[in-house]
Amino acid sequence: MFKKILIANRGEIAVRIIRTCKTLGIKTIAVYSEADSNALHVKMADEAFLIGNPRISESYLNISKILEVAVSSKAEAIHPGYGLLSENAEFARQCEEAAIVFIGPPSHIIEQMGSKIKSRKTMEAAGIPIISGITYPLKDVENAISAASQIGYPIMLKASAGGGGIGIQIARSEDELRKIFSGNQRRAESFFGDGSMFVEQYIENPRHIEIQVIADNTGKTLHLWERECSIQRRHQKVVEEAPSTFLDEETRVLMGETAVKAAKSIGYTNIGTIEFLIDEEKNFYFLEMNTRLQVEHPVTEEITGIDLVAEQIKIAAGYQLTYNQDEVKRDGHAIEVRIYAEDPKTFFPSPGTITKLELPEGSNIRHELAVKEQYVVTPFYDPMIAKLIVKGSSRAEAITTLQEALLKYKVEGIKTNIPMLQAISTHPEYKKGNTSTHFISKYL
């Protein structure tokens, strides 16, 4: 097992990783920007190093500086968390060259699955169902219109290197596609350094269901069941739960087997997620693969009892999986909501000082956060400040616990999306399980 791990991340996920490392007896190294000098992950780690100013490009995305710290502090491995450098193939490659273990899949797999165009080709070749679309980058808007005419409107315009809902937009006609193409292409170039765009058929009223996969270095690959992540705003997830109320057992098993097949087809190792869109007839289609830990991983942990961060570390250290597919059981129902420092009406970020913080407590309530009273939420980073996870023996019980917990969750000094989360959790359609990707726009 590793003796020392550097965590190339910040906020609640850095705290989450440190917590598991402590249980495994592993020393941790934190890196931080000037804006995070008083952050909880800095105080919790055994060692901490300043790596730059608040700008992400000059701190948390500074590969050379992070690797310099890793080498000088004698870290044996680096955990990238999620976001930031977690799906950066070049970072993983440089870790490999520096003989530092990257806790995740090999760099060539990250590169292969990081491009939505490449991953579509790969999955199609492996016999995984994909949405009708193109598998080449579009040169310009005329190229896009030609492709869309072959597929048929409505279509979804997407950035090949995209993520977090950036560079994605629906076009229901040629006029709409002309209006949105250049703006989305510019955003993709700005955020990802790659303006490659493609189009695929738009599925009306879909659900977003993903399968957690895990694979060791011997090729043993399993799935840890599904998470439903359909409630989104601006293509970003807000509420996630497991299991999905929409799936029947036959579809659930088939999706799990398909995800395992997809992971095996590329020789995947470590933790990953195969994301699917599923239509009203329960036809499912490959959307993308995230070659990292997901924000919503706690709901899988709650229903399976498996610590996914611990599994990541063990696999990276060369350990083999000690259980088989039929031993991965589901127990109860778990729901996670993301708490953002943002105006619940406009979704604009709401930086500032948290003057009061009261958290609900209970045996079926779990918190993932790295903020406290008097903590300053800066405008430099993602506005998600915490995650609230609840569990029940049934979905109804979990929803009741969630409603009660949100009523007791107090954050003052900044605006948060807690009112919106309360509205979702008490909505009759949510209680019924009618949670398509249009839920917020349709009901709220």
Side-chain angles (χ1 to χ4, degrees):
M1 182 54 72
F2 302 119
K3 294 180 180 177
K4 188 184 286 190
I5 290 175
L6 182 144
I7 300 161
N9 217 300
R10 63 175 300 279
E12 63 87 15
I13 188 57
V15 170
R16 164 75 185 88
I17 295 166
I18 291 171
R19 193 169 68 241
T20 287
C21 285
K22 287 183 181 296
T23 66
L24 294 175
I26 300 171
K27 291 188 178 299
T28 54
I29 304 161
V31 292
Y32 64 96
S33 72
E34 291 172 353
D36 277 341
S37 58
N38 293 315
L40 185 57
H41 78 283
V42 175
K43 296 177 180 179
M44 285 180 63
D46 296 289
E47 301 173 58
F49 295 87
L50 176 66
I51 55 171
N53 66 39
R55 292 176 181 268
I56 286 184
S57 61
E58 296 174 29
S59 53
Y60 295 108
L61 295 182
N62 189 333
I63 293 175
S64 60
K65 185 64 178 177
I66 290 171
L67 286 174
E68 178 187 316
V69 171
V71 172
S72 65
S73 61
K74 298 181 180 179
E76 299 163 274
I78 292 179
H79 197 306
Y82 55 70
L84 298 177
L85 294 170
S86 63
E87 291 182 289
N88 187 305
E90 180 58 29
F91 179 52
R93 187 175 296 112
Q94 289 193 35
C95 287
E96 293 162 359
E97 291 171 354
I100 297 172
V101 177
F102 178 84
I103 300 177
S107 58
H108 70 274
I109 290 180
I110 297 174
E111 184 173 31
Q112 182 180 11
M113 301 311 288
S115 162
K116 289 184 173 63
I117 294 175
K118 285 183 181 178
S119 63
R120 278 178 61 88
K121 287 182 180 179
T122 301
M123 292 297 104
E124 186 175 29
I128 307 301
I130 64 171
I131 301 170
S132 176
I134 64 168
T135 52
Y136 57 87
L138 299 167
K139 296 176 183 177
D140 51 37
V141 67
E142 297 303 328
N143 202 206
I145 289 168
S146 175
S149 66
Q150 295 174 38
I151 299 167
Y153 292 95
I155 59 94
M156 186 76 88
L157 178 67
K158 290 186 173 183
S160 177
I166 298 165
I168 299 177
Q169 206 161 344
I170 302 166
R172 297 184 180 276
S173 66
E174 180 178 323
D175 285 345
E176 284 189 11
L177 184 52
R178 286 188 182 279
K179 290 176 182 177
I180 68 175
F181 185 85
S182 59
N184 277 278
Q185 190 174 51
R186 284 195 300 271
R187 278 192 289 276
E189 180 65 40
S190 173
F191 278 89
F192 313 115
D194 181 356
S196 299
M197 307 297 293
F198 72 104
V199 295
E200 64 184 20
Q201 179 187 12
Y202 175 67
I203 297 176
E204 296 284 359
N205 208 35
R207 296 203 180 215
H208 185 135
I209 295 177
E210 60 191 29
I211 306 292
Q212 179 71 65
V213 293
I214 182 170
D216 64 23
N217 297 306
T218 70
K220 184 175 183 179
T221 308
L222 312 174
H223 70 80
L224 307 182
W225 305 106
E226 83 280 1
R227 295 184 289 258
E228 172 137 359
C229 310
S230 297
I231 296 185
Q232 305 175 6
R233 57 109 171 97
R234 297 175 181 172
H235 304 290
Q236 288 186 315
K237 301 164 188 172
V238 177
V239 180
E240 303 103 345
E241 58 185 297
S244 168
T245 59
F246 183 66
L247 298 185
D248 54 69
E249 203 60 27
E250 182 181 354
T251 307
R252 173 176 287 114
V253 170
L254 181 58
M255 290 183 76
E257 291 172 346
T258 302
V260 168
K261 179 182 177 182
K264 281 194 166 193
S265 74
I266 58 173
Y268 196 82
T269 57
N270 214 273
I271 290 283
T273 300
I274 308 291
E275 302 201 348
F276 295 99
L277 282 184
I278 183 166
D279 65 21
E280 293 175 315
E281 284 73 46
K282 293 187 172 65
N283 300 304
F284 58 89
Y285 307 93
F286 172 81
L287 179 63
E288 64 182 7
M289 182 176 195
N290 288 311
T291 56
R292 54 168 170 79
L293 191 70
Q294 295 279 86
V295 176
E296 57 271 20
H297 75 274
V299 294
T300 296
E301 293 182 326
E302 290 299 316
I303 68 163
T304 63
I306 296 171
D307 183 327
L308 296 185
V309 174
E311 294 296 277
Q312 282 189 293
I313 294 169
K314 290 175 183 177
I315 291 170
Y319 288 69
Q320 296 179 21
L321 293 173
T322 59
Y323 44 89
N324 299 315
Q325 187 64 66
D326 60 2
E327 296 174 288
V328 182
K329 305 299 183 182
R330 302 191 307 273
D331 174 40
H333 196 99
I335 305 172
E336 173 184 288
V337 293
R338 303 186 187 191
I339 296 174
Y340 289 93
E342 65 181 20
D343 188 306
K345 295 182 179 179
T346 65
F347 300 141
F348 290 162
S350 176
T353 300
I354 297 175
T355 57
K356 185 176 183 179
L357 179 64
E358 292 182 3
L359 303 178
E361 300 296 336
S363 58
N364 289 319
I365 296 174
R366 170 177 168 180
H367 298 284
E368 298 290 350
L369 77 167
V371 297
K372 58 183 179 179
E373 288 188 1
Q374 302 309 313
Y375 179 87
V376 178
V377 178
T378 73
F380 301 111
Y381 311 118
D382 186 278
M384 189 180 79
I385 58 171
K387 299 182 307 196
L388 168 64
I389 305 99
V390 299
K391 185 182 179 183
S393 59
S394 65
R395 185 172 188 263
E397 184 179 298
I399 289 174
T400 297
T401 301
L402 176 63
Q403 292 169 345
E404 292 172 353
L406 287 170
L407 285 173
K408 295 176 183 176
Y409 209 120
K410 305 296 182 186
V411 183
E412 295 180 5
I414 60 171
K415 292 181 180 180
T416 73
N417 66 330
I418 289 176
M420 184 181 74
L421 298 174
Q422 290 172 329
I424 292 170
S425 69
T426 56
H427 199 284
E429 294 302 316
Y430 176 72
K431 292 179 182 179
K432 293 176 185 176
N434 295 332
T435 55
S436 78
T437 55
H438 302 310
F439 184 91
I440 289 177
S441 60
K442 186 174 181 179
Y443 298 118
L444 302 181

